[in-house]
Coordinates of all heavy atoms in Angstrom, one line a residue:
T1540 N 7.5 45.8 -37.1 CA 7.8 44.8 -38.0 C 9.3 44.4 -37.8 O 10.0 44.9 -37.0 CB 7.6 45.2 -39.5 OG1 7.8 44.1 -40.4 CG2 8.6 46.3 -39.9
L1541 N 9.7 43.3 -38.5 CA 11.1 42.9 -38.6 C 11.5 43.0 -40.1 O 10.8 42.8 -41.0 CB 11.3 41.5 -38.1 CG 11.1 41.2 -36.6 CD1 11.4 39.7 -36.4 CD2 11.9 42.0 -35.7
S1542 N 12.8 43.4 -40.3 CA 13.3 43.5 -41.6 C 13.8 42.2 -42.2 O 14.0 42.2 -43.5 CB 14.4 44.5 -41.6 OG 15.5 44.0 -40.8
G1543 N 13.9 41.2 -41.4 CA 14.3 39.9 -41.9 C 13.6 38.8 -41.2 O 12.8 39.0 -40.3
A1544 N 14.1 37.5 -41.5 CA 13.5 36.3 -40.8 C 13.7 36.4 -39.3 O 14.8 36.7 -38.9 CB 14.0 35.1 -41.4
G1545 N 12.7 36.1 -38.5 CA 12.8 36.0 -37.1 C 11.5 36.0 -36.4 O 10.4 35.8 -37.0
F1546 N 11.5 36.3 -35.1 CA 10.2 36.3 -34.3 C 10.2 37.6 -33.5 O 11.2 38.0 -32.8 CB 10.2 35.1 -33.4 CG 9.8 33.8 -34.1 CD1 10.8 33.0 -34.7 CD2 8.5 33.4 -34.2 CE1 10.4 31.9 -35.4 CE2 8.1 32.2 -34.9 CZ 9.1 31.4 -35.5
L1547 N 8.9 38.1 -33.4 CA 8.7 39.3 -32.7 C 7.7 39.1 -31.5 O 6.6 38.4 -31.8 CB 8.1 40.4 -33.7 CG 7.8 41.8 -33.1 CD1 9.0 42.4 -32.6 CD2 7.0 42.6 -34.1
R1548 N 7.9 39.5 -30.4 CA 7.1 39.1 -29.2 C 6.5 40.3 -28.5 O 7.2 41.3 -28.3 CB 8.0 38.3 -28.3 CG 7.3 37.8 -27.0 CD 8.2 36.8 -26.3 NE 8.1 35.5 -27.1 CZ 8.9 34.5 -26.9 NH1 9.9 34.6 -26.1 NH2 8.8 33.3 -27.6
C1549 N 5.2 40.1 -28.1 CA 4.5 41.1 -27.3 C 4.2 40.5 -26.0 O 3.4 39.5 -26.0 CB 3.3 41.6 -28.0 SG 2.3 42.7 -27.1
I1550 N 4.7 41.0 -24.9 CA 4.4 40.5 -23.6 C 3.5 41.5 -22.8 O 3.8 42.7 -22.8 CB 5.7 40.3 -22.7 CG1 6.6 39.3 -23.4 CG2 5.4 39.8 -21.3 CD1 8.0 39.1 -22.8
V1551 N 2.5 41.0 -22.2 CA 1.5 41.9 -21.5 C 1.3 41.4 -20.1 O 1.1 40.2 -19.9 CB 0.1 41.9 -22.2 CG1 -0.8 42.8 -21.5 CG2 0.3 42.4 -23.6
I1552 N 1.3 42.3 -19.1 CA 1.1 42.0 -17.7 C 0.0 42.9 -17.2 O 0.1 44.1 -17.3 CB 2.4 42.2 -16.9 CG1 3.5 41.3 -17.3 CG2 2.1 41.9 -15.4 CD1 4.9 41.5 -16.7
A1553 N -1.0 42.3 -16.7 CA -2.2 43.0 -16.1 C -2.2 43.0 -14.6 O -1.8 41.9 -14.1 CB -3.5 42.5 -16.7
E1554 N -2.6 44.1 -14.0 CA -2.6 44.1 -12.6 C -4.1 44.2 -12.2 O -4.8 45.1 -12.5 CB -1.9 45.4 -12.0 CG -0.4 45.3 -12.4 CD 0.3 46.6 -11.8 OE1 -0.3 47.3 -10.9 OE2 1.3 46.9 -12.3
V1555 N -4.5 43.1 -11.4 CA -6.0 43.0 -11.0 C -6.0 42.7 -9.5 O -5.4 41.6 -9.2 CB -6.7 42.0 -11.9 CG1 -8.2 41.9 -11.4 CG2 -6.6 42.3 -13.3
D1556 N -6.6 43.5 -8.7 CA -6.7 43.3 -7.2 C -5.3 42.9 -6.6 O -5.2 41.9 -5.8 CB -7.7 42.1 -7.0 CG -9.1 42.4 -7.5 OD1 -9.4 43.6 -7.5 OD2 -9.9 41.5 -7.9
G1557 N -4.3 43.6 -7.0 CA -3.0 43.5 -6.4 C -2.2 42.3 -6.9 O -1.1 42.1 -6.4
K1558 N -2.7 41.6 -7.9 CA -2.0 40.5 -8.4 C -1.7 40.7 -9.9 O -2.3 41.5 -10.6 CB -2.8 39.1 -8.3 CG -3.1 38.6 -6.9 CD -3.8 37.3 -6.8 CE -4.0 36.9 -5.5 NZ -4.7 35.6 -5.4
E1559 N -0.7 40.1 -10.4 CA -0.2 40.2 -11.8 C -0.6 38.9 -12.6 O -0.5 37.8 -12.2 CB 1.3 40.5 -11.8 CG 1.6 41.8 -11.3 CD 3.1 42.1 -11.5 OE1 3.8 41.2 -11.9 OE2 3.5 43.3 -11.5
Y1560 N -1.1 39.2 -13.8 CA -1.4 38.2 -14.7 C -0.7 38.4 -16.0 O -0.8 39.5 -16.6 CB -3.0 38.0 -14.9 CG -3.7 37.8 -13.7 CD1 -4.0 38.8 -12.8 CD2 -4.0 36.5 -13.4 CE1 -4.7 38.5 -11.6 CE2 -4.8 36.2 -12.2 CZ -5.1 37.3 -11.3 OH -5.7 36.9 -10.2
R1561 N 0.0 37.4 -16.5 CA 0.9 37.6 -17.7 C 0.5 36.7 -18.9 O 0.1 35.6 -18.7 CB 2.4 37.3 -17.3 CG 3.4 37.5 -18.4 CD 4.7 37.1 -17.7 NE 5.9 37.4 -18.6 CZ 6.3 36.5 -19.5 NH1 5.7 35.3 -19.6 NH2 7.4 36.8 -20.3
N1562 N 0.7 37.2 -20.1 CA 0.6 36.4 -21.3 C 1.3 37.0 -22.4 O 1.8 38.2 -22.2 CB -0.9 36.2 -21.7 CG -1.0 34.9 -22.4 OD1 -0.1 34.2 -22.9 ND2 -2.3 34.4 -22.6
L1563 N 1.4 36.4 -23.5 CA 2.2 36.9 -24.6 C 1.7 36.3 -26.0 O 1.0 35.4 -26.0 CB 3.7 36.5 -24.4 CG 4.1 35.1 -24.5 CD1 5.6 34.9 -24.8 CD2 3.9 34.4 -23.1
A1564 N 2.2 37.0 -27.0 CA 2.0 36.5 -28.4 C 3.3 36.7 -29.1 O 3.9 37.7 -29.0 CB 0.8 37.2 -29.1
T1565 N 3.7 35.8 -29.9 CA 4.9 35.8 -30.7 C 4.6 35.5 -32.2 O 4.0 34.5 -32.5 CB 5.9 34.8 -30.2 OG1 6.0 34.9 -28.8 CG2 7.3 35.0 -30.8
V1566 N 5.0 36.4 -33.0 CA 4.7 36.2 -34.5 C 6.0 35.9 -35.2 O 7.1 36.4 -34.9 CB 4.0 37.4 -35.1 CG1 2.6 37.6 -34.4 CG2 4.8 38.7 -35.0
G1567 N 5.9 35.2 -36.3 CA 7.0 34.7 -37.1 C 7.1 35.5 -38.4 O 6.1 35.7 -39.1
F1568 N 8.3 35.9 -38.7 CA 8.6 36.6 -40.0 C 9.4 35.6 -40.9 O 10.6 35.4 -40.6 CB 9.3 37.9 -39.8 CG 8.4 39.0 -39.2 CD1 8.2 39.0 -37.9 CD2 7.8 39.9 -40.1 CE1 7.4 40.1 -37.3 CE2 7.1 40.9 -39.5 CZ 6.9 41.0 -38.2
S1569 N 8.8 35.0 -41.8 CA 9.4 34.0 -42.7 C 10.4 33.1 -41.9 O 11.5 33.0 -42.3 CB 10.2 34.7 -43.8 OG 9.3 35.6 -44.6
P1570 N 9.9 32.3 -41.0 CA 10.7 31.5 -40.2 C 11.4 30.4 -40.9 O 12.4 29.9 -40.6 CB 9.8 30.9 -39.0 CG 8.5 31.1 -39.6 CD 8.5 32.3 -40.5
N1571 N 10.8 30.0 -42.0 CA 11.4 29.0 -42.9 C 12.7 29.4 -43.5 O 13.4 28.6 -44.1 CB 10.4 28.4 -43.9 CG 9.3 27.6 -43.3 OD1 9.5 27.0 -42.2 ND2 8.1 27.7 -43.9
L1572 N 13.0 30.7 -43.5 CA 14.2 31.3 -44.0 C 15.3 31.4 -43.0 O 16.4 31.8 -43.4 CB 13.9 32.6 -44.8 CG 12.9 32.6 -45.9 CD1 12.8 34.0 -46.5 CD2 13.4 31.6 -46.9
L1573 N 15.0 31.1 -41.8 CA 16.1 31.3 -40.7 C 17.2 30.3 -41.0 O 17.0 29.1 -41.3 CB 15.5 31.0 -39.4 CG 14.7 32.2 -38.7 CD1 13.8 31.7 -37.6 CD2 15.6 33.3 -38.3
Q1574 N 18.4 30.8 -40.9 CA 19.6 30.0 -41.1 C 20.4 29.8 -39.8 O 20.4 30.7 -39.0 CB 20.6 30.6 -42.2 CG 19.9 30.7 -43.6 CD 20.8 31.3 -44.6 OE1 21.9 31.5 -44.3 NE2 20.3 31.4 -45.8
A1575 N 21.0 28.6 -39.6 CA 21.7 28.4 -38.4 C 23.0 29.2 -38.4 O 23.5 29.6 -39.3 CB 22.0 26.8 -38.4
T1576 N 23.4 29.4 -37.1 CA 24.6 30.2 -36.8 C 25.8 29.3 -36.4 O 26.9 29.7 -36.4 CB 24.3 31.3 -35.7 OG1 24.0 30.7 -34.5 CG2 23.2 32.2 -36.2
V1577 N 25.5 28.2 -35.8 CA 26.5 27.3 -35.2 C 27.4 26.8 -36.3 O 27.0 26.5 -37.4 CB 25.8 26.2 -34.4 CG1 25.2 25.1 -35.3 CG2 26.8 25.5 -33.4
A1578 N 28.7 26.6 -35.9 CA 29.7 26.0 -36.8 C 29.4 24.6 -37.0 O 28.8 23.8 -36.1 CB 31.1 26.3 -36.2
N1579 N 29.8 24.1 -38.2 CA 29.6 22.6 -38.5 C 31.0 22.1 -38.7 O 31.7 22.2 -39.7 CB 28.9 22.5 -39.8 CG 28.6 21.1 -40.2 OD1 28.8 20.1 -39.4 ND2 28.2 20.8 -41.5
P1580 N 31.6 21.4 -37.6 CA 33.0 21.0 -37.6 C 33.3 20.0 -38.8 O 32.5 19.1 -39.1 CB 33.2 20.3 -36.3 CG 32.1 20.8 -35.4 CD 30.9 21.1 -36.3
S1581 N 34.4 20.1 -39.3 CA 34.8 19.2 -40.4 C 35.0 17.8 -40.0 O 34.9 16.9 -40.8 CB 36.1 19.8 -41.2 OG 37.2 19.8 -40.2
D1582 N 35.4 17.6 -38.8 CA 35.5 16.3 -38.3 C 34.4 15.8 -37.4 O 34.5 14.9 -36.5 CB 36.9 16.2 -37.5 CG 36.8 17.1 -36.2 OD1 36.1 18.0 -36.1 OD2 37.7 16.8 -35.4

Side-chain angles (χ1 to χ4, degrees):
T1540 188
L1541 294 182
S1542 59
F1546 284 86
L1547 181 65
R1548 178 163 287 165
C1549 176
I1550 300 173
V1551 179
I1552 299 173
E1554 298 178 21
V1555 182
D1556 297 331
K1558 295 184 179 180
E1559 293 187 341
Y1560 299 85
R1561 180 182 184 274
N1562 207 346
L1563 67 155
T1565 311
V1566 298
F1568 288 80
S1569 300
N1571 289 330
L1572 298 181
L1573 281 165
Q1574 297 184 1
T1576 64
V1577 69
N1579 183 14
S1581 59
D1582 64 340

